């Protein structure tokens, strides 16, 4: 006697778990709740400090030619001497920027709207979960009631068949 109700309860739980995985209304509500949560996180992110970093490195090579006047002390003649040379320099720069808006009214409004939307999506998800519980339980118990009605109808048919057999036996005798 106890195996029947325990087995029925287990089957009801299995049915509910299967419905949790496959119900389109619930899956849609879960997806909307997830999307609303993402929109809230994005809106809240506008209020947080923004950090950016950059780095650069470059090598500069220059070829240079210098002419300088020189005086030959023996002859007294002036002439120019040239020096050729290449110079190379490495240039590096790093930047780390942190910005925090002092007050951004639009960002606060967007965060509040996204928070309200997230709360509404969570409420819709809760309603969808409760609706699924009711639908699964109703359907499950309707099936059990139909099985009981079928079993009762079969038993009634057997009882009527036995009465008919007795009546035919009494009539034959």
């Amino acid at each position: 006697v106890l195996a029947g109700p325990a087995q029925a309860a287990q089957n009801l739980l299995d049915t509910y778990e299967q419905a949790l995985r496959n119900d389109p209304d619930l899956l849609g509500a879960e997806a909307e709740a997830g999307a609303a949560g993402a929109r809230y996180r994005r809106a809240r992110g506008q209020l947080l400090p923004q950090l950016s970093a950059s780095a650069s490195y470059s090598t500069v090579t220059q070829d240079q030619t210098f002419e300088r006047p020189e005086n030959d002390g023996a002859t007294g003649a002036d002439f120019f001497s040239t020096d050729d040379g290449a110079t190379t320099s490495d240039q590096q720069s790093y930047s780390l920027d942190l910005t925090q808006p002092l007050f951004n009214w639009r960002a606060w409004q967007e965060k509040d709207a996204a928070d309200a939307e997230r709360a509404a999506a969570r409420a819709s998800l809760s309603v969808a979960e409760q609706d699924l519980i009711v639908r699964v339980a109703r359907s499950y118990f309707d099936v059990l009631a139909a099985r009981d009605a079928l079993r009762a109808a079969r038993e009634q048919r057997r009882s009527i068949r036995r009465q008919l057999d007795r009546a035919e036996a009494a009539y034959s005798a």
Side-chain angles (χ1 to χ4, degrees):
V1 177
L2 292 177
Q7 184 180 11
Q10 181 62 38
N11 289 338
L12 176 59
L13 290 175
D14 290 343
T15 303
Y16 176 68
E17 288 173 1
Q18 185 177 6
L20 278 175
R21 291 187 300 271
N22 298 313
D23 185 60
D25 294 337
L26 181 64
L27 294 175
E30 286 174 347
E32 181 55 36
R39 286 188 292 272
Y40 172 76
R41 288 187 300 277
R42 187 181 67 229
R44 189 188 63 178
Q46 293 176 3
L47 299 172
L48 299 175
Q50 305 296 316
L51 181 65
S52 62
S54 64
S56 66
Y57 175 82
S58 62
T59 300
V60 177
T61 303
Q62 293 179 335
D63 289 327
Q64 299 174 346
T65 302
F66 297 103
E67 293 183 355
R68 64 173 181 255
E70 290 189 14
N71 186 340
D72 183 8
T75 61
D78 288 334
F79 66 95
F80 291 97
S81 68
T82 59
D83 289 328
D84 290 330
T87 59
T88 301
S89 64
D90 294 332
Q91 297 177 348
Q92 301 174 15
S93 69
Y94 303 98
S95 172
L96 184 64
D97 299 319
L98 178 68
T99 57
Q100 170 67 52
L102 294 177
F103 185 74
N104 184 342
W105 179 247
R106 185 183 59 80
W108 280 100
Q109 287 178 322
E110 287 177 8
K111 183 198 78 73
D112 290 343
D115 191 29
E117 184 181 339
R118 181 179 66 162
R122 285 180 177 170
S124 294
L125 177 60
S126 179
V127 166
E129 288 170 343
Q130 292 172 13
D131 180 56
L132 179 65
I133 291 169
V134 169
R135 285 185 290 128
V136 167
R138 182 177 297 135
S139 297
Y140 184 79
F141 289 119
D142 286 348
V143 168
L144 289 181
R147 283 182 185 170
D148 288 344
L150 179 62
R151 191 174 307 130
R154 286 180 181 162
E155 191 61 40
Q156 185 178 17
R157 189 178 74 193
R158 276 188 233 129
S159 175
I160 291 172
R161 172 65 67 190
R162 283 191 300 263
Q163 287 176 359
L164 178 63
D165 290 343
R166 275 187 252 142
E168 285 177 350
Y171 181 73
S172 308

